[in-house]
PDB file of all heavy atoms in Angstrom:
ATOM      1  N   ALA A  90      45.832  30.682 -36.629  1.00 82.00           N
ATOM      2  CA  ALA A  90      45.649  31.930 -35.986  1.00 82.00           C
ATOM      3  C   ALA A  90      44.271  32.542 -36.399  1.00 82.00           C
ATOM      4  O   ALA A  90      43.617  33.160 -35.558  1.00 82.00           O
ATOM      5  CB  ALA A  90      46.766  32.906 -36.416  1.00 82.00           C
ATOM      6  N   SER A  91      43.860  32.386 -37.619  1.00 86.00           N
ATOM      7  CA  SER A  91      42.548  32.881 -38.045  1.00 86.00           C
ATOM      8  C   SER A  91      41.406  32.184 -37.329  1.00 86.00           C
ATOM      9  O   SER A  91      40.440  32.838 -36.883  1.00 86.00           O
ATOM     10  CB  SER A  91      42.359  32.696 -39.532  1.00 86.00           C
ATOM     11  OG  SER A  91      43.321  33.405 -40.237  1.00 86.00           O
ATOM     12  N   MET A  92      41.503  30.900 -37.115  1.00 83.00           N
ATOM     13  CA  MET A  92      40.480  30.153 -36.424  1.00 83.00           C
ATOM     14  C   MET A  92      40.391  30.501 -34.969  1.00 83.00           C
ATOM     15  O   MET A  92      39.315  30.680 -34.440  1.00 83.00           O
ATOM     16  CB  MET A  92      40.687  28.609 -36.555  1.00 83.00           C
ATOM     17  CG  MET A  92      40.348  28.099 -37.947  1.00 83.00           C
ATOM     18  SD  MET A  92      40.414  26.325 -38.048  1.00 83.00           S
ATOM     19  CE  MET A  92      42.179  26.071 -38.121  1.00 83.00           C
ATOM     20  N   VAL A  93      41.570  30.687 -34.340  1.00 81.00           N
ATOM     21  CA  VAL A  93      41.589  31.076 -32.924  1.00 81.00           C
ATOM     22  C   VAL A  93      40.983  32.441 -32.747  1.00 81.00           C
ATOM     23  O   VAL A  93      40.138  32.737 -31.877  1.00 81.00           O
ATOM     24  CB  VAL A  93      42.954  31.034 -32.360  1.00 81.00           C
ATOM     25  CG1 VAL A  93      43.117  31.646 -31.013  1.00 81.00           C
ATOM     26  CG2 VAL A  93      43.468  29.557 -32.266  1.00 81.00           C
ATOM     27  N   ALA A  94      41.356  33.398 -33.645  1.00 84.00           N
ATOM     28  CA  ALA A  94      40.811  34.746 -33.549  1.00 84.00           C
ATOM     29  C   ALA A  94      39.319  34.776 -33.855  1.00 84.00           C
ATOM     30  O   ALA A  94      38.571  35.474 -33.154  1.00 84.00           O
ATOM     31  CB  ALA A  94      41.557  35.655 -34.553  1.00 84.00           C
ATOM     32  N   ALA A  95      38.863  33.974 -34.783  1.00 87.00           N
ATOM     33  CA  ALA A  95      37.441  33.936 -35.118  1.00 87.00           C
ATOM     34  C   ALA A  95      36.640  33.381 -33.977  1.00 87.00           C
ATOM     35  O   ALA A  95      35.572  33.896 -33.610  1.00 87.00           O
ATOM     36  CB  ALA A  95      37.203  33.117 -36.395  1.00 87.00           C
ATOM     37  N   TYR A  96      37.153  32.323 -33.404  1.00 84.00           N
ATOM     38  CA  TYR A  96      36.478  31.686 -32.231  1.00 84.00           C
ATOM     39  C   TYR A  96      36.349  32.627 -31.050  1.00 84.00           C
ATOM     40  O   TYR A  96      35.371  32.799 -30.444  1.00 84.00           O
ATOM     41  CB  TYR A  96      37.164  30.414 -31.830  1.00 84.00           C
ATOM     42  CG  TYR A  96      36.450  29.663 -30.695  1.00 84.00           C
ATOM     43  CD1 TYR A  96      35.390  28.841 -30.977  1.00 84.00           C
ATOM     44  CD2 TYR A  96      36.836  29.844 -29.370  1.00 84.00           C
ATOM     45  CE1 TYR A  96      34.695  28.205 -29.994  1.00 84.00           C
ATOM     46  CE2 TYR A  96      36.193  29.150 -28.385  1.00 84.00           C
ATOM     47  CZ  TYR A  96      35.101  28.380 -28.623  1.00 84.00           C
ATOM     48  OH  TYR A  96      34.476  27.729 -27.662  1.00 84.00           O
ATOM     49  N   TYR A  97      37.460  33.317 -30.825  1.00 83.00           N
ATOM     50  CA  TYR A  97      37.478  34.361 -29.741  1.00 83.00           C
ATOM     51  C   TYR A  97      36.506  35.460 -30.032  1.00 83.00           C
ATOM     52  O   TYR A  97      35.782  35.829 -29.150  1.00 83.00           O
ATOM     53  CB  TYR A  97      38.895  34.855 -29.486  1.00 83.00           C
ATOM     54  CG  TYR A  97      38.911  35.918 -28.436  1.00 83.00           C
ATOM     55  CD1 TYR A  97      38.887  35.519 -27.102  1.00 83.00           C
ATOM     56  CD2 TYR A  97      39.005  37.230 -28.724  1.00 83.00           C
ATOM     57  CE1 TYR A  97      38.887  36.492 -26.093  1.00 83.00           C
ATOM     58  CE2 TYR A  97      39.086  38.201 -27.735  1.00 83.00           C
ATOM     59  CZ  TYR A  97      39.044  37.842 -26.439  1.00 83.00           C
ATOM     60  OH  TYR A  97      39.073  38.774 -25.423  1.00 83.00           O
ATOM     61  N   GLY A  98      36.501  35.917 -31.229  1.00 87.00           N
ATOM     62  CA  GLY A  98      35.606  37.016 -31.623  1.00 87.00           C
ATOM     63  C   GLY A  98      34.097  36.582 -31.524  1.00 87.00           C
ATOM     64  O   GLY A  98      33.299  37.351 -31.034  1.00 87.00           O
ATOM     65  N   ILE A  99      33.813  35.420 -31.960  1.00 89.00           N
ATOM     66  CA  ILE A  99      32.414  34.897 -31.900  1.00 89.00           C
ATOM     67  C   ILE A  99      32.001  34.762 -30.489  1.00 89.00           C
ATOM     68  O   ILE A  99      30.874  35.179 -30.059  1.00 89.00           O
ATOM     69  CB  ILE A  99      32.293  33.598 -32.674  1.00 89.00           C
ATOM     70  CG1 ILE A  99      32.427  33.904 -34.173  1.00 89.00           C
ATOM     71  CG2 ILE A  99      30.962  32.935 -32.377  1.00 89.00           C
ATOM     72  CD1 ILE A  99      32.511  32.635 -35.041  1.00 89.00           C
ATOM     73  N   THR A 100      32.892  34.156 -29.612  1.00 85.00           N
ATOM     74  CA  THR A 100      32.556  33.988 -28.219  1.00 85.00           C
ATOM     75  C   THR A 100      32.334  35.341 -27.534  1.00 85.00           C
ATOM     76  O   THR A 100      31.404  35.498 -26.704  1.00 85.00           O
ATOM     77  CB  THR A 100      33.691  33.189 -27.500  1.00 85.00           C
ATOM     78  OG1 THR A 100      33.903  31.980 -28.237  1.00 85.00           O
ATOM     79  CG2 THR A 100      33.373  32.867 -26.102  1.00 85.00           C
TER      80      THR A 100
END
Side-chain angles (χ1 to χ4, degrees):
S91 297
M92 285 186 283
V93 169
Y96 183 81
Y97 178 74
I99 290 169
T100 304

